Amino acid sequence: MHTWLQALLAVFLPVAGLGATIDGVVRDAVNGRPIPGVRVHIVESRQSARTDDGGSFSLPHPEGWPATMVVSASGFRPERVVLAGPPSATLDVRLAPVVAYGDRVEVTATRAREGEDSASFTNVPRERIEEGYWAQDPALLLSEIVPGMYAYNDNGNGVGYSYFSIRGFGQARSRVTINGAPLNDAESGELFFIDLADFMSTAGDVQIKRGVYGLSGIGGAVDLSTAPASVEPSFQLHLGAGSFATQRLTARYDSGLIDGTWSLTARYSKVTSDGYRDQSWVDMWNVHLSLARLGERSQLRFIFFGGPEQTHLAYEGIPRDALDGGLTGDAERDRRFNPITWPDEIDTFFQPHYQIVHDLSFGPRTQLAQTFYLFQGDGYYEQYRADRRLLEYDLPAIVLPDGTTVERSDLVRRRTVDEWDAGWTPTLLHQAGSVSLSVAGEVRIHRAHHIGDVRWAQFYPDGLDPNHRYYDYRVAKDSASIAGGAHWAATARLTLTAGLQFTRHVYEMSDDRLRGVAFDERYDFVLPRAGAVIRLTDGAEAFLGVARGMREPAFRQIYDPQDYYGIRTSLDPEDVWDWEAGVSIRRPRWRVRANLFSMRFANEIVYAGALDDNGVPVYGNGATSRHRGLEADASWTPSTRFGLDASLALSRNTFTRYTEFGWDGQEAVYDGNRIAGFPDVLASVTARGWAGRLRMSLTLRHVGKFFLDNSEDNRLDPVARAEEGYVPLVNPAFTILDLAVAMPLSRVLSDALGLTGLELQARLNNALGETFTSFGYVDGGTPLFIPAAGRNVYVGLTLGL
């Protein structure tokens, strides 16, 4: 571990005698440069000073001793030191940045580190988040920046239910954490960012690791953080509005450091939108509270975030003829059609999160980072279903007065879940000479109660109570993991890494009130990893890594109590070996990071090219496959007024062997076919410039075509492709351009209103008006597509106090 992480604040090297003042210089612990504008505060006397351009400060002696001096600056870890008496020399104070230079991402115990870890990753600093965020789902924001990541949105305009893939693996097979606490649903692995409205407005930075990583992370790992405590008091209000009646209100208060020890951050957000598609509205609000305590050897944060959301569901796609105006003759009107037309098909959910985040230093060589968490989930949604078998809903057939037997009926069903998750994620780091050791653990407890009710039916049996339950069961899942790792600086140019993880997952189903099914299923994994990092020159490294990953099936892939025809199955876990090789070069004005990967799967659980009746992708088991490709990102800043960022991902995901079985027992052999749902090409370029106080950015993003199902557009069935009116089972490639402008308004106006800042932001999304679909699937042989919005705008005003 770097020496500047071992001692975050050093006071040493007396150089001169002092009089009645405390004099000092504040420097960056990484490069030794003076830091201007640092706030130096004596808690007892409440006197403060700021460092000048040379990093120097001077403060009068307090009346008594000892005295506590707090040194804080934006972008650096606030620390404090106790002075036993008047210092006899000028203080040389060293502050460690909360971000690593060249990466601009907070250093934490769970994150990959440039030049030390053999991992393929991308860091997204807070500055990039602020530049690109307006109100969209986090998945959409990150996919514009990160190579090898793709996302789409049901509603069509980026606000609402969204889904992402990394290297062709859906979000259910990637690991997502907030401050180290898992966010994936324990039973399905799915992600629901919609429950975290406006989360990115108080997010810190993000690191996305691609490939095998962490507990059940097959495609990659997305590590989100909440923003660190602010050292300065402030109040910020953002008011924004855009196309499709999108509105956002964000109010944020930061107390700054109180008595050099405490800091409070509070945010309230409200986001609403009608959505691009018909009846795809969203209405959600969210609260974020963070109370931080800064100690001499530790930092402690108590964090709460969450709020209720409601959205009309819009997960079904539309056929090609509707995109072309086949419904009314107006293509622009028809492409916005939402097949879910029943107005009460609304998702209602509330998921509050409670976290305790603790960092403790036992000394210069040993640190502990840990997160305790609890989150709850309570919600439901209703669905209208036409001509359904009564038997499937545990309802008897009905005999009408004329003797006719009714076995089918239109009905409305409600699906409800009440669940909670609790856990602990500790990481202990120790430096022993040239060897850095780590021990990381995780314990997660999940409990859920699932209920399905028939709320109404066109033909409802006499004498049966209303709201008849057709499923009612409980699921428990316990997960535990412990991993050991070592970094050995074998020579000045070679670092070797190794790790071993032991993981156990246990499912238990109980209290099935309808069928009486009960069982438990256990999965145990032993996961090794190894790698090497070679320093080529200063600021340049190459790496090679290999890791094994395994992932348990989702609960409803083992047994689906919500399906009348569901049967208990025994699925083997996914098993993959991931090989990574890459290079990173950092120079004062440019940076390049690139990697090659090859992932070989046994028994992959793959996307079957369809959605279930909840809008969730359907997966099949038993494939042998290979994922391989190239990923790269780069930045270039030739001047203080202009910069470029670029990313590129080229991949090829294919089956080595896979046979898909239809409901009628027919076999479809897909050996050698491409895996559906992910483009082979992803590329983006962002240019940004500064003209005085005006900031501008332009992002050009290209997404290659991808196949809608695993037949690879009926590659082995030329007869089907030759049929008249055949619609290719392909989502076409598209390229879109986004523009963003941020302009501070007149200081005279700000002063007149008593504001510390007043800024206008404007965005033009899809500026060229590209007509495209962002996703697609096949239903009953018919290709269906999820359309995305054309040209749309967002304008926001941010006021600071």
Side-chain angles (χ1 to χ4, degrees), residues 166-395:
I166 299 177
R167 292 185 174 177
F169 305 109
Q171 59 189 23
R173 299 155 78 202
S174 296
R175 175 174 169 81
V176 180
T177 57
I178 298 179
N179 298 324
L183 192 60
N184 302 72
D185 180 78
E187 295 180 41
S188 67
E190 285 294 332
L191 259 294
F192 307 105
F193 282 124
I194 193 172
D195 298 319
L196 303 176
D198 203 27
F199 176 82
M200 300 308 285
S201 65
T202 41
D205 45 43
V206 183
Q207 184 179 83
I208 294 90
K209 292 179 282 285
R210 296 178 294 274
V212 171
Y213 200 89
L215 195 70
S216 300
I218 294 292
V222 179
D223 184 14
L224 299 150
S225 67
T226 54
S230 174
V231 298
E232 297 290 346
S234 66
F235 176 80
Q236 190 178 84
L237 179 67
H238 177 88
L239 302 170
S243 301
F244 320 116
T246 300
Q247 298 182 27
R248 173 187 160 207
L249 165 66
T250 304
R252 171 174 172 168
Y253 167 73
D254 288 290
S255 69
L257 282 178
I258 301 173
D259 292 334
T261 303
W262 295 95
S263 178
L264 173 69
T265 296
R267 170 181 59 81
Y268 168 82
S269 297
K270 173 79 171 178
V271 178
T272 60
S273 177
D274 285 350
Y276 169 68
R277 305 181 69 190
D278 295 338
Q279 292 197 86
S280 63
W281 56 265
V282 175
D283 188 344
M284 47 192 175
W285 62 265
N286 193 274
V287 170
H288 172 101
L289 295 171
S290 176
L291 179 63
R293 183 186 186 278
L294 176 64
E296 294 183 35
R297 296 188 300 114
S298 67
Q299 294 188 37
L300 183 65
R301 287 189 289 165
F302 303 90
I303 302 170
F304 166 81
F305 54 89
E309 62 84 10
Q310 282 193 316
T311 181
H312 191 280
L313 298 174
Y315 55 80
E316 291 187 4
I318 59 177
R320 174 58 63 185
D321 64 340
L323 293 171
D324 296 335
L327 299 179
T328 67
D330 182 347
E332 177 54 35
R333 171 64 268 170
D334 291 354
R335 65 181 286 105
R336 300 179 67 172
F337 176 66
N338 177 8
I340 303 176
T341 57
W342 189 56
D344 291 331
E345 197 144 334
I346 298 169
D347 177 74
T348 301
F349 206 77
F350 178 44
Q351 187 185 73
H353 291 249
Y354 310 87
Q355 295 184 348
I356 300 175
V357 181
H358 181 223
D359 296 306
L360 174 64
S361 175
F362 293 103
R365 297 183 178 180
T366 307
Q367 292 83 36
L368 171 68
Q370 57 185 338
T371 297
F372 300 88
Y373 66 89
L374 168 69
F375 61 88
Q376 300 167 278
D378 184 12
Y380 65 89
Y381 59 93
E382 295 185 352
Q383 296 174 301
Y384 178 85
R385 289 294 179 260
D387 195 31
R388 289 302 177 98
R389 292 182 181 273
L390 293 173
L391 181 67
E392 296 177 0
Y393 293 85
D394 193 45
L395 295 172

Side-chain angles (χ1 to χ4, degrees), residues 443-465:
V443 176
R444 181 177 183 180
I445 301 170
H446 168 80
R447 300 292 183 266
H449 186 195
H450 298 267
I451 298 172
D453 297 323
V454 178
R455 309 290 288 181
W456 170 88
Q458 181 184 10
F459 298 100
Y460 203 88
D462 291 335
L464 196 66
D465 291 336

Side-chain angles (χ1 to χ4, degrees), residues 49-61:
R50 290 192 179 275
T51 58
D52 58 22
D53 291 341
S56 298
F57 68 89
S58 181
L59 279 169
H61 281 175

